[in-house]
Amino acid sequence: MWPIAPEETETIGSLVSVSESLPLHGSTPEPNVAISPATQTSNLESIQPRACGLNGLVSPASTNLEDTSRSAHYQRHEVTSRTRGGGGSAAPPLDFSHLDLVCPINANDIQNRWLKPYIPGVLGPQTTKTLSPSITAFTYRILKSYAAIAVRCHPNNIPPFLHSVQVLQWTLPPNTPHAPLSTCLSLIRSCEKPLPGSEAVLAEVLQREMNKLYEQYGTYNNHNDSTLLLATFQAYLVYTLVLYYRLPQDPSSHFLRQQEAIMHLQEIACACCARGLVCAAEQDGARPRWEAWIVAETKRRTLYTMYLWDNMLTAQEGLPTFLGTELRGLPAPASKALWQASAREEWEKAYNLHLAEWPEGGLCIDELWAIPADMDEASVVERRRRVDQWLEGVDEFGTMMYAVTSCTHGG
């Protein structure tokens, strides 16, 4: 889509091969299969700059073999320990097929959101909102931290819209040797400490991966491709954040590239969310399967992050921002106990407690918006009580969401 100078072709070709040769974050050995230190070292050596064509583009400090070896060892140990039940017996593998998800909103409104600032009323009556400079700056810094965390991608510290299961033990769909998210997390590591002058080449590599994701997502027609669409959605979002924050680009073409990326991102988000944003069991007040809940909650967190990103960019451009009324009724971010549960039994206990504490249903995202003028006093008191109860258990993502919505809407 954007021309490349002939002298860069050979270098870019070497870089593109990284996405095909780097080890997948989600791929791990079977728990009972021993891996010798020599084998680990041999595998890790394949991602060094000398071996994969990154020499001269990536600072050696960002690809330290000793640090990478420790990270790989930690991931293998963590996956093994998390997939074992009590007494050391192996737990059943996670099954991400037949998730039974439903989409309670009009997903098409997500795809067309980028049009709102340019053609007001194109999606019917809209509610504008005012983002103060301080909230815009706050959102900018938060999203910048997500890009930095994603680039480093340490198992103990991942962006809050990626679930630990995805990074440590994601089950890849059949005939999918390179899951989009795994490839993304491997490829963007080259952006941690790029050498001066290499940013444009690295940016071109990421943009090619984004183009590939956009071209391929429409082929995911099988119902069981929901996890693959989610990984594509997340990878595309991570790429856009990394490009914006880590790889400065030519201002003359930056806006058009960024706008196209937002359009494609929202189109992929629409397809992903149309496959379901809520577990059917959640709507019925019952406990869903852990796998289904992981996918649903991760989709919602990724979607909310995309909306924050869209709002921040729109506000920076001096355009009007609009309330995401199309998201009304979706659950607010889940509690820390549910999100950080590392085993099925732990999560099921936490979800049983959640059902007992929220007999009338959990908090919805629109309960964090402005209180309607026609709401009676008793309803206002009840809403504030529910928000207070929700705040007691949220993680850092929920806290951030409350900070943005509270400073924007009051309440």
Side-chain angles (χ1 to χ4, degrees):
M1 181 165 51
W2 298 286
I4 309 171
E7 60 270 18
E8 295 178 352
T9 305
E10 181 178 354
T11 304
I12 292 178
S14 300
L15 280 169
V16 172
S17 66
V18 175
S19 65
E20 301 174 355
S21 62
L22 286 174
L24 300 181
H25 284 256
S27 59
T28 56
E30 293 296 326
N32 295 326
V33 177
I35 297 181
S36 67
T39 303
Q40 292 184 13
T41 304
S42 175
N43 290 337
L44 291 169
E45 286 176 348
S46 65
I47 68 171
Q48 296 309 301
R50 175 178 57 80
C52 63
L54 288 174
N55 192 25
L57 295 174
V58 184
S59 169
S62 67
T63 54
N64 183 276
L65 179 59
E66 181 181 358
D67 292 342
T68 307
S69 179
R70 281 198 297 266
S71 176
H73 172 75
Y74 176 88
Q75 291 188 32
R76 293 187 180 98
H77 170 74
E78 189 73 3
V79 171
T80 301
S81 62
R82 288 189 179 190
T83 54
R84 292 185 177 276
S89 59
L94 298 180
D95 178 11
F96 287 96
S97 62
H98 308 294
L99 297 176
D100 197 15
L101 304 180
V102 296
C103 182
I105 65 173
N106 182 5
N108 289 329
D109 289 342
I110 298 173
Q111 177 177 340
N112 299 321
R113 180 172 174 80
W114 68 273
L115 283 170
K116 291 183 179 181
Y118 303 101
I119 312 177
V122 66
L123 301 178
Q126 300 294 324
T127 303
T128 59
K129 62 180 180 182
T130 302
L131 297 181
S132 67
S134 59
I135 284 299
T136 302
F138 174 78
T139 306
Y140 176 94
R141 297 293 293 274
I142 289 294
L143 295 174
K144 182 179 180 180
S145 74
Y146 292 173
I149 293 171
V151 165
R152 296 184 181 93
C153 198
H154 189 278
N156 262 344
N157 189 25
I158 59 178
F161 57 90
L162 305 183
H163 196 275
S164 59
V165 164
Q166 290 182 283
V167 179
L168 295 175
Q169 59 189 80
W170 188 253
T171 302
L172 301 181
N175 303 320
T176 309
H178 294 69
L181 182 59
S182 300
T183 301
C184 170
L185 296 179
S186 294
L187 186 59
I188 62 175
R189 293 192 65 181
S190 61
C191 303
E192 182 177 2
K193 295 181 180 179
L195 294 180
S198 66
E199 292 89 348
V201 179
L202 292 172
E204 192 65 38
V205 174
L206 298 195
Q207 287 160 358
R208 285 190 175 187
E209 289 297 315
M210 293 168 69
N211 291 341
K212 184 192 300 182
L213 291 178
Y214 180 70
E215 292 168 0
Q216 291 179 347
Y217 92 90
T219 65
Y220 304 149
N221 298 319
N222 190 295
H223 182 73
N224 288 332
D225 285 340
S226 183
T227 53
L228 189 55
L229 261 177
L230 171 58
T232 299
F233 177 25
Q234 292 173 304
Y236 203 98
L237 175 59
V238 170
Y239 282 134
T240 61
L241 293 175
V242 171
L243 280 171
Y244 184 84
Y245 288 109
R246 309 289 295 194
L247 300 173
Q249 301 172 64
D250 180 6
S252 63
S253 61
H254 177 63
F255 173 79
L256 292 178
R257 293 188 181 192
Q258 177 180 289
Q259 190 59 41
E260 182 182 52
I262 293 298
M263 292 165 56
H264 290 175
L265 175 64
Q266 293 181 1
E267 188 175 334
I268 295 172
C270 170
C272 177
C273 295
R275 300 291 182 92
L277 282 165
V278 179
C279 301
E282 284 182 289
Q283 290 190 320
D284 296 336
R287 188 187 72 206
R289 287 197 302 127
W290 187 29
E291 295 90 337
W293 183 88
I294 287 173
V295 172
E297 176 67 18
T298 305
K299 279 188 183 185
R300 296 191 293 260
R301 287 182 174 231
T302 307
L303 182 64
Y304 297 155
T305 303
M306 185 194 76
Y307 269 65
L308 290 172
W309 173 234
D310 176 74
N311 286 336
M312 190 274 293
L313 292 176
T314 302
Q316 282 193 335
E317 293 165 8
L319 297 170
T321 54
F322 295 88
L323 187 64
T325 52
E326 60 271 18
L327 306 183
R328 189 184 304 275
L330 291 180
S335 69
K336 182 176 182 178
L338 287 171
W339 179 249
Q340 296 187 1
S342 59
R344 187 184 305 275
E345 183 179 0
E346 177 188 356
W347 178 83
E348 289 179 349
K349 289 180 179 178
Y351 203 91
N352 289 341
L353 182 60
H354 165 79
L355 291 176
E357 293 177 343
W358 294 90
E360 71 282 10
L363 193 78
C364 292
I365 192 68
D366 49 285
E367 293 182 78
L368 298 176
W369 301 345
I371 296 176
D374 58 352
M375 182 175 284
D376 61 68
E377 183 177 353
S379 298
V380 171
V381 171
E382 173 62 13
R383 171 182 280 200
R384 288 175 174 164
R385 182 199 67 78
R386 284 170 56 81
V387 172
D388 288 342
Q389 180 179 343
W390 174 75
L391 283 170
E392 294 173 8
V394 296
D395 64 351
E396 66 274 14
F397 185 76
T399 302
M400 181 274 298
M401 289 287 293
Y402 177 75
V404 172
T405 56
S406 179
C407 292
T408 301
H409 305 294

